[in-house]
Amino acid sequence: MWRFLGETMAVFAKDMRCEFRTRVAFNSLALFAVTTLAAVSYTIGPYGIAEADRPYLLGALLWIVVFFAAMAGLDRSFVKEEETHTAPLLRLAARPLVVWGGKLLFNTVTLALLMAILVPLYVVLMGLSVRTPGWFILVLAAGCLALAVTTTIVAAIVARAMSRGALFAVLSVPLLLPLLVFLIQGTRAAIEGRVPDVLAALRAVVSLGGVMTVASAFLFPVVWHD
Amino acid sequence: MTRRDILLGALFLWMAAVIWAAFLWAPAAAGFLGQSSRIVFFHVPTAWVATLSFLVSFIASVQYLRTRDPRWDVRAHASASLGIVFTILATVTGSIFARIMWGSYWNWDPRETSITFLLLIYAAYFALRGAVPDPERKAALAAVYAILAFVTVPFLVFVVPRIYWSLHPDTIINTKGRITMDSRMFRVFMASLAGFTGLAAWLYDLECRIEALRRKAEEEIL
C-alpha cells in the first residue's frame, strides 16, 4: 500500500514538474475559465437574473464554466506523454495502476486549483450568496473529484486515438452530463440552504463517481497497454 | 426452407398480429387523450430493446477484453448500433405522445433528458471507433468506453427520472411494484415486448453477419 502511494506520488510529482515547465494545462484551464466568467459576468452580472431564478441559474452557470474549462486542459496529462513519446518509458517504469493514480491526482489538483481561483471570483462577480457554505464547498469538492475521475480515463482513451482535441470533448460530455445534472441540483440546494436535497444530490454524485473510479481502475491497464 | 426462414416467417406473423391487436383489439386506456395510450405497445418495447442492446454491448465488450476474440467486438458493435436505432425510435414515439398529451414534442422532461444523454453516449462510442485506425486498438478502446458508458445507464434510466418530478406516466411496473394496466392491454403489451425482442434478435444476427463480411472484405483488400 505505502509502496503504491509512494509510486503514485512520484508520477504525480513528475507531472507537476513537467507542467510547471510549460504551464500549458494550468494556463489553458485558468484562461478559459476567467474568459468565460468575464463574458458571463459582463452580459448577466449580479443583477441580470430575477431573484427567484438566481440559485438555479447561478449554480448551472458555475458548473458550465468549470466543465468547459476542464475540457480545455485536462486531457494534457496523457496526450502530452504520447506527443513527446515519453509514454513507452512510463509504461516500462511504472505499473498501470500507479500511472492512473498519479494522473488522477494531477487532474484532481489541477481542477481544485482552478476552482480555488474561479469560485471566489464567481461569488464576487455574480453576487452569489450561499446559505450553507459548508455544503456548497462539499458539493464542489465531490464534483471536482468525480470530474477528475471521468476525465482521467477519457484522456487516457483519447491519447491513444486520432484527432484528440475534438474527441476529448465528444467522449467526455455524454459521460459527464448525468454528473453535471446532479451537481447543478446539489449546488442549487446548497445556495438555497435545503440540506436534505444537497444530501440526495451528493449521494448520486458519490455513487456515480465511485462506480466510475472502480471501473476506471479496472479498465485503465487495457487502455494503457493496448 | 431453413430454420432461420421459418423463425423469420413466425416473427413476421407475430408482429402483424401485435400491430392488429394494438390498434383493434386492445382498449384505449382511461386518463389519456383519445387513442394516444396505444403508443405504449410500441414506445415501451423499443425502449426495452434499446436497453437490452446496450446490455448485450456491455457483455460483449467485457467478453472481448477477456478473450480478445474479434467476434465479441463484432457483437458489441452490432448491438450498440441496434441500441442507437431503438433509442431513436423510443425518442420519436415518446415525442409523438408528448405532443398529444403535453402539447409539445420536447420539454426536457427527466425521461426525455436521460434518453438524450443515452443517445449522446452511444454516438460518442461510434465517434471513438472512427478515430482509431488500428483494428485491435479500436476494439479494445471501444470496449472500455462501452463499459464506462454502461456504468452510467442505471443512473440515466432509473435514478434521474425517479429523483426529479416528471410528467411521464408511471412505468409499467411502478414504484409501488403494481401493474395497473387493463388485462387485455397487458396481454398485447407483453406480446409486443416479445415481438420486439425477437425483431431485435433477428436484426442483431443480420448486423453481426454483415459486419463479419465487411471485415473479411477489408482484410482481403489489405
Side-chain angles (χ1 to χ4, degrees):
Chain A
M1 182 68 190
W2 290 113
R3 194 175 151 218
F4 170 76
L5 282 177
E7 288 175 16
T8 302
M9 287 308 290
V11 172
F12 167 68
K14 174 207 73 93
D15 273 2
M16 284 306 248
R17 253 198 314 276
C18 290
E19 179 53 34
F20 275 104
R21 279 187 202 134
T22 59
R23 297 185 194 88
V24 174
F26 286 157
N27 286 344
S28 311
L29 254 78
L31 279 173
F32 198 97
V34 171
T35 311
T36 318
L37 177 58
V40 169
S41 172
Y42 177 72
T43 48
I44 298 171
Y47 309 111
I49 305 172
E51 196 57 38
D53 299 329
R54 284 178 68 79
Y56 187 61
L57 286 180
L58 289 182
L61 280 172
L62 173 63
W63 282 108
I64 288 169
V65 174
V66 171
F67 169 72
F68 281 103
M71 289 299 100
L74 285 189
D75 59 337
R76 289 300 307 161
S77 55
F78 279 104
V79 170
K80 191 182 73 223
E81 301 283 3
E82 296 291 340
E83 282 176 354
T84 54
H85 306 289
T86 51
L89 193 64
L90 193 58
R91 277 190 194 97
L92 290 174
R95 290 174 290 161
L97 209 57
V98 164
V99 176
W100 175 75
K103 301 285 185 189
L104 172 62
L105 199 58
F106 174 77
N107 276 353
T108 310
V109 169
T110 308
L111 208 52
L113 284 174
L114 168 82
M115 285 166 108
I117 300 166
L118 178 75
V119 175
L121 268 176
Y122 187 86
V123 168
V124 171
L125 290 175
M126 301 302 288
L128 174 67
S129 65
V130 182
R131 291 219 179 134
T132 48
W135 288 110
F136 179 70
I137 291 168
L138 205 61
V139 172
L140 292 179
C144 171
L145 262 172
L147 274 174
V149 167
T150 310
T151 48
T152 302
I153 187 75
V154 174
I157 294 173
V158 164
R160 313 282 287 152
M162 296 189 308
S163 45
R164 291 157 182 160
L167 202 61
F168 183 59
V170 168
L171 297 188
S172 302
V173 170
L175 292 182
L176 289 175
L177 275 174
L179 189 69
L180 284 176
V181 169
F182 297 134
L183 286 171
I184 290 168
Q185 294 291 337
T187 310
R188 176 195 187 173
I191 293 170
E192 291 175 336
R194 290 183 284 112
V195 177
D197 292 338
V198 178
L199 282 171
L202 268 177
R203 269 199 296 272
V205 171
V206 170
S207 50
L208 185 53
V211 172
M212 265 308 175
T213 309
V214 175
S216 301
F218 271 103
L219 294 170
F220 181 74
V222 177
V223 179
W224 187 235
H225 280 303
D226 259 288
Chain B
M1 193 181 263
T2 63
R3 193 169 148 261
R4 189 176 271 148
D5 292 334
I6 295 167
L7 282 173
L8 195 58
L11 177 66
F12 176 79
L13 288 175
W14 184 275
M15 286 307 284
V18 163
I19 293 166
W20 174 81
F23 286 104
L24 300 170
W25 188 66
F32 293 89
L33 277 177
Q35 303 292 318
S36 64
S37 67
R38 290 184 196 280
I39 212 157
V40 75
F41 302 124
F42 306 100
H43 172 67
V44 179
T46 48
W48 151 253
V49 167
T51 314
L52 193 68
S53 302
F54 293 141
L55 175 67
V56 173
S57 179
F58 165 73
I59 294 168
S61 299
V62 172
Q63 284 297 96
Y64 175 77
L65 294 182
R66 274 187 62 234
T67 62
R68 297 293 167 147
D69 181 347
R71 280 176 299 180
W72 284 113
D73 179 50
V74 169
R75 286 168 194 156
H77 182 232
S79 50
S81 311
L82 271 185
I84 214 159
V85 169
F86 279 99
T87 307
I88 291 169
L89 286 175
T91 311
V92 171
T93 49
S95 253
I96 294 168
F97 178 80
R99 176 77 179 96
I100 297 165
M101 286 298 292
W102 311 329
S104 76
Y105 286 107
W106 203 262
N107 40 47
W108 292 108
D109 184 80
R111 282 199 186 270
E112 289 176 334
T113 311
S114 57
I115 206 140
T116 310
F117 292 175
L118 212 57
L119 265 176
L120 286 174
I121 285 176
Y122 286 95
Y125 170 83
F126 290 103
L128 174 63
R129 291 193 76 95
V132 187
D134 177 59
E136 277 180 33
R137 187 180 287 180
K138 178 197 290 192
L141 294 182
V144 168
Y145 193 75
I147 295 168
L148 285 175
F150 193 77
V151 161
T152 61
V153 170
F155 290 89
L156 293 171
V157 176
F158 302 112
V159 181
V160 172
R162 280 172 175 78
I163 282 185
Y164 305 110
W165 184 81
S166 171
L167 280 168
H168 194 281
D170 259 0
T171 42
I172 301 303
I173 299 172
N174 56 29
T175 45
K176 294 173 196 119
R178 281 206 301 264
I179 297 166
T180 51
M181 204 180 248
D182 167 86
S183 79
R184 208 190 273 192
M185 273 185 84
F186 186 66
R187 272 179 275 171
V188 178
F189 172 74
M190 291 309 283
S192 176
L193 216 56
F196 269 93
T197 310
L199 183 71
W202 172 60
L203 288 172
Y204 168 75
D205 177 53
L206 212 61
E207 182 69 24
C208 282
R209 282 156 54 206
I210 291 170
E211 185 63 24
L213 283 173
R214 191 182 293 138
R215 289 188 189 194
K216 203 173 163 191
E218 273 172 17
E219 275 170 24
E220 278 168 15
I221 291 166
L222 291 171

